[in-house]
Amino acid sequence: MHRMRPKSFPIWVVPCALALAALAAFWFSTPHGVGLGFDSITYIAVARSLLSGGGLGRYNCAGFKPLTLWPPLYPIVLASIGRLGMDPTLASRLAGAIGYALTILFGGLLAGRAAASRAAAAMASSLLFLSAPLLQVSTWAMSEHLFLPLTLASFLLLRPSIKSSSRKALLAAGVCAGAAALTRYVGAIAVLAGAITLAIIHDRTGRRRWLDAGLFTLCGLLPLALWFAFNALVVGTATNRRLDFHPPNANDLALPAKTIAGWLLPDRLNIVPLQGLVIAATAVLVIFALVWNVSRMRSRPNDPESWTLNLSLFAILYPVMILASATFLTPGILEPLGERLLIPLHAAVLILICVLAVVLGSQVKSVGRTIAIVASLSLLLVYCVRYPGLLRGLRSDGQGFASAYLQESETSHALRSLQTQMIYTNDIQALYFLANKVSCAIPTPTSNAGIEEMRSNLRAEDGVVVIFGRLSSEFLPLEQVTSGLDVLEALPDAVVYGYPLSHSLPVPSCTAQPCPRPIRWPVRGLPRGVEHS
């Protein structure tokens, strides 16, 4: 009598279960809302402008400023959710929870189908769920929680287009890649990776290969090209970026190096000598995955194990694109935004690790299989140790300017009582999120006639200058900025300047007892300075 085998569960079961758990974990960790800082002011302000009928841009003290430096899809999504009756900050929390869950779901499915293994799906979704960097970045009002699931969805949809020559799947994959590029400009790398994958498939005629690659590229890049053309037509610049050469120095690369090493090392072992080894090992792993995928795809194009080629290409091209951007377009972005910029690479590396561990572990001898299992379980253990502490830390207070401590500070209460609409400051985000005030950045050394324009506006509108902490070198010296101005109010964390006989600023007593202590400026976790868009 034959013993019946128990029916195995589908690949999607564990990723789906962990995606639901991710929704709960995200909501549990953000009782104060999503973190506010970095680019949040642009996304939130543009979404509010769209909801109020103001258009695709945001207001400052000088009037309406069209959106050009950032792609438009994320604020459009926030405004669309806001149509349900919620503010864009709450809409960002909802979008973040869904995007975080979909990232875990799609990452697990991609690994499981690439390795044809339920173990790979379970391992990938578990590592993504327990990834402290992924949760940390996802809980900010940033575009990553939209960019990541769109990119992974493109990779997933490209798979059936390879297997069954499905044009519908190909078009859907191209649309998702295009949407990722409209969320973050670096999403164009997903389009390039998919096009290269389609172009080297071995079992199709040359004409069909190039036709599919061209169709995918058209779907992926046409929306971005139309956005650039619209910007150039309306405001005279495609992205408001200027091409220049400013290579990153050692200090710029220190934080990204520590971030990458932290993906695979326990915190106590994340030291400089080991960081280089981990980065080298990560590079070897990604390059090996690419070479292995190319060799298998050219010899066995229908082998599911070869279907992570586009993910391998993405993992190589993405950091190259980030370095190119830091060198030629946006200097200084690596140090303050290292973890956020690298989170797509983090997700790609975790998925590739799971695929290679399962596939190679099933093909090599027992010693190699044991090494793969031990390495995977060790990484999972490191992530398990970090995760509970991060959940508790996120739940205790909001991140950035969403912090209840900041919102209830004496400085925040005082700044909310400002009556003038003409405000210049060295921290636009602080005034927007803590006092709900729009403002202009104080002049920089490169501003053309900026100081005279500021003084003229202050006189005409009875305006004020609000200085948080100390002025960094990116601004004009404090003596030059405040020349001819009186100190109207000296608050614990800011000083308000204005022309003589200007209105005074009443300082109401704070509602919290005892009153919160002064804030250390700049706020911990936020980059120094302010964006000047």
Side-chain angles (χ1 to χ4, degrees), residues 297-319:
M297 180 168 277
R298 293 188 66 84
S299 60
R300 290 182 284 178
N302 288 322
D303 185 349
E305 297 167 9
S306 65
W307 290 338
T308 53
L309 174 61
N310 49 0
L311 187 62
S312 304
L313 285 167
F314 178 83
I316 290 177
L317 295 173
Y318 183 85

Side-chain angles (χ1 to χ4, degrees), residues 90-449:
L90 180 57
S92 182
R93 188 185 182 198
L94 180 60
I98 296 173
Y100 177 58
L102 289 178
T103 298
I104 291 165
L105 173 62
F106 293 161
L109 291 177
L110 184 60
R113 292 178 178 176
S117 165
R118 292 184 297 276
M123 187 187 306
S125 53
S126 297
L127 284 176
L128 290 171
F129 174 71
L130 294 171
S131 168
L134 181 59
L135 177 60
Q136 180 90 52
V137 171
S138 297
T139 51
W140 285 81
M142 303 292 181
S143 57
E144 276 66 29
H145 49 233
L146 179 61
F147 174 77
L148 279 172
L150 285 173
T151 302
L152 293 177
S154 174
F155 296 155
L156 270 175
L157 290 167
L158 202 61
R159 180 179 179 272
S161 74
I162 295 173
K163 181 179 179 181
S164 59
S165 301
S166 169
R167 278 283 169 78
K168 291 182 179 180
L170 180 70
L171 292 174
V175 168
C176 286
L182 277 180
T183 304
R184 284 187 57 196
Y185 291 135
V186 76
I189 293 300
V191 181
L192 179 60
I196 294 175
T197 300
L198 291 167
I200 66 174
I201 293 176
H202 186 265
D203 70 333
R204 300 186 185 182
T205 63
R207 181 179 179 183
R208 176 61 186 273
R209 267 190 246 167
W210 293 109
L211 184 61
D212 283 358
L215 187 60
F216 176 83
T217 304
L218 180 65
C219 290
L221 295 184
L222 181 60
L224 194 59
L226 292 175
W227 169 245
F228 288 162
F230 172 79
N231 284 341
L233 182 65
V234 173
V235 295
T237 176
T239 63
N240 198 24
R241 285 177 167 91
R242 186 177 61 183
L243 192 64
D244 200 1
F245 182 71
H246 26 67
N249 55 38
N251 291 332
D252 294 329
L253 299 175
L255 181 60
K258 184 177 181 179
T259 298
I260 294 175
W263 299 344
L264 304 178
L265 289 176
D267 294 335
R268 292 183 179 180
L269 297 180
N270 193 354
I271 56 179
V272 173
L274 292 180
Q275 288 171 7
L277 293 176
V278 171
I279 292 173
T282 303
V284 169
L285 180 144
V286 172
I287 293 172
F288 173 77
L290 176 64
V291 174
W292 176 69
N293 271 289
V294 170
S295 63
R296 295 186 74 89
M297 180 168 277
R298 293 188 66 84
S299 60
R300 290 182 284 178
N302 288 322
D303 185 349
E305 297 167 9
S306 65
W307 290 338
T308 53
L309 174 61
N310 49 0
L311 187 62
S312 304
L313 285 167
F314 178 83
I316 290 177
L317 295 173
Y318 183 85
V320 172
M321 182 68 173
I322 293 297
L323 282 174
S325 178
T327 302
F328 296 103
L329 293 173
T330 315
I333 61 171
L334 295 178
E335 194 276 329
L337 303 179
E339 187 168 75
R340 177 194 171 194
L341 288 176
L342 292 173
I343 205 66
L345 178 63
H346 173 61
V349 167
L350 290 184
I351 295 170
L352 287 175
I353 287 175
C354 296
V355 173
L356 292 177
V358 170
V359 173
L360 296 181
S362 64
Q363 294 179 356
V364 297
K365 296 180 180 180
S366 57
V367 175
R369 187 180 301 114
T370 302
I371 292 175
I373 293 173
V374 170
S376 302
L377 292 178
S378 299
L379 185 59
L380 194 62
L381 178 62
V382 170
Y383 280 30
C384 285
V385 170
R386 291 175 178 167
Y387 194 73
L390 177 63
L391 279 180
R392 290 193 298 270
L394 292 175
R395 184 171 175 80
S396 64
D397 197 5
Q399 299 184 87
F401 295 113
S403 166
Y405 179 80
L406 297 183
Q407 293 289 336
E408 292 300 318
S409 69
E410 181 182 344
T411 300
S412 299
H413 282 284
L415 293 177
R416 291 184 192 123
S417 66
L418 280 171
Q419 300 301 313
T420 180
Q421 299 300 312
M422 181 59 61
I423 306 173
Y424 281 81
T425 183
N426 63 325
D427 202 327
I428 291 176
Q429 299 181 81
L431 276 168
Y432 187 80
F433 289 122
L434 297 181
N436 197 27
K437 303 287 186 181
V438 297
S439 56
C440 287
I442 60 176
T444 65
T446 58
S447 301
N448 295 323

